[in-house]
Amino acid sequence: ATIVSGAIAERVKISAYMIFTLIYVGIAYPFLGSWKWGAGWLDAMNFYDFAGSTLVHSVGGWGALAGIIVIGPRLGKYESGKVIDKPGSSVPLAVIGVFLLWLGWFGFNGGSVLSADPDLVSYVLVTTSLAACTGGLFGFLTSYITFKRMDLGMVLNGILAGLVGITAGADTVSINAALFIGAVAGALVVLSAITLDKFKLDDVVGAVSVHLTCGIWGTLAVGIFSTNADHTFGTQLIGVLSYAAVAFPFAFLIFFALKKTMGVRVSKEHETDGLDSHEHGIRGYTIVVE
């Protein structure tokens, strides 16, 4: 649910978002999760997703993609064929948030070693952290080559991209493979963000690029780099396509139905003034200029 919230921030009605969350998380997520983690049909095919590159991140990413398509871009985001940069309100908080997620990922991935075997937990923590490192590094390099500047936002999203990418196979790929998976994810997140902007798909925090694009990459990477011969690329691809075939249409239908009934987007006035003051009666950030 929070993956979706980041993508559609600054213009979605909180009431519509809450209803979407209730339906998507209450119905779609358990149903889709049961295919693998509930000993379902994909599990029987030896589809592998250790801690959720597809089951968590891609499912959220498909929901985010549906949301930004139905709701549309923020006011002034795309004008005269140009992409207008809208900087975040607090770079330090963004950095802190990413490092909190990095730490939290040791719980996501390390905690997914249900046997609590200390050797395997330690191994998972190492692959997870190394993928994050190369993700941030290649997010920096790719954005520097592309934008000709050091883009901190892409470094941060590169770290998250590496974390998402390694989540599917953190316990079953080699150390070198973990480094490579993170590196590719770091590059992909930048290229994905650029591609979305070309199609005028406004993703505020890069949620689709981080969670969907790199979730797909991480899941397919298991079929390429796994040390377990039962994990094949073909089966991983079937899993990715199966989740896409259900998660995206389901999310799209929810958003479309909400749009046609109660509406999903705030008014132009509310979007311009800021949603905090109109929907919550308090401003999240108040800057006094004397």
Side-chain angles (χ1 to χ4, degrees):
T2 51
I3 292 170
V4 179
S5 72
I8 59 178
E10 299 187 30
R11 74 268 203 203
V12 66
K13 289 181 179 179
I14 191 170
S15 54
Y17 169 71
M18 291 296 186
I19 293 173
F20 168 82
T21 296
L22 181 65
I23 299 172
Y24 196 60
V25 177
I27 298 175
Y29 183 61
F31 173 72
L32 293 169
S34 70
W35 291 356
K36 167 59 186 173
W37 290 343
W41 66 277
L42 277 176
D43 187 57
M45 291 180 63
N46 288 319
F47 173 76
Y48 196 72
D49 190 357
F50 173 62
S53 284
T54 284
L55 275 74
V56 176
H57 298 285
S58 288
V59 169
W62 287 120
L65 180 60
I68 61 178
I69 290 173
V70 173
I71 295 173
R74 288 167 290 173
L75 297 173
K77 176 64 178 177
Y78 305 109
E79 292 184 347
S80 303
K82 295 183 179 180
V83 179
I84 308 301
D85 186 36
K86 290 181 175 287
S89 57
S90 176
V91 173
L93 281 180
V95 174
I96 292 170
V98 168
F99 276 97
L100 286 171
L101 279 169
W102 192 338
L103 176 63
W105 232 279
F106 294 149
F108 300 154
N109 287 5
S112 293
V113 181
L114 301 182
S115 65
D117 176 76
D119 288 340
L120 186 55
V121 171
S122 300
Y123 186 82
V124 166
L125 298 186
V126 170
T127 58
T128 297
S129 201
L130 288 177
C133 291
T134 52
L137 177 61
F138 276 79
F140 161 72
L141 291 174
T142 307
S143 61
Y144 188 78
I145 293 170
T146 305
F147 306 131
K148 303 298 186 291
R149 59 182 169 84
M150 291 180 280
D151 191 314
L152 177 60
M154 287 303 181
V155 174
L156 299 176
N157 271 356
I159 291 170
L160 297 179
L163 290 166
V164 170
I166 196 60
T167 293
D171 67 329
T172 190
V173 300
S174 68
I175 297 298
N176 288 335
L179 290 166
F180 183 79
I181 289 169
V184 172
L188 282 176
V189 75
V190 178
L191 300 176
S192 176
I194 294 171
T195 302
L196 287 176
D197 276 335
K198 288 186 180 297
F199 287 95
K200 296 184 178 181
L201 296 173
D202 183 16
D203 182 349
V204 176
V205 300
V208 172
S209 298
V210 169
H211 298 280
L212 177 56
T213 302
C214 296
I216 290 172
W217 157 242
T219 305
L220 296 177
V222 172
I224 302 171
F225 299 107
S226 177
T227 56
N228 188 330
D230 292 333
H231 303 154
T232 65
F233 183 84
T235 300
Q236 296 300 108
L237 180 60
I238 290 172
V240 167
L241 295 176
S242 299
Y243 278 94
V246 175
F248 177 76
F250 193 88
F252 188 90
L253 287 173
I254 299 172
F255 274 120
F256 187 78
L258 290 171
K259 181 178 182 179
K260 293 299 182 181
T261 51
M262 64 182 294
V264 292
R265 186 162 183 150
V266 299
S267 67
K268 182 178 179 180
E269 176 191 359
H270 287 193
E271 184 175 344
T272 303
D273 292 345
L275 274 63
D276 290 343
S277 56
H278 286 282
E279 295 206 326
H280 305 289
I282 186 172
R283 294 188 65 84
Y285 295 89
T286 301
I287 300 174
V288 179
V289 180
E290 296 181 353

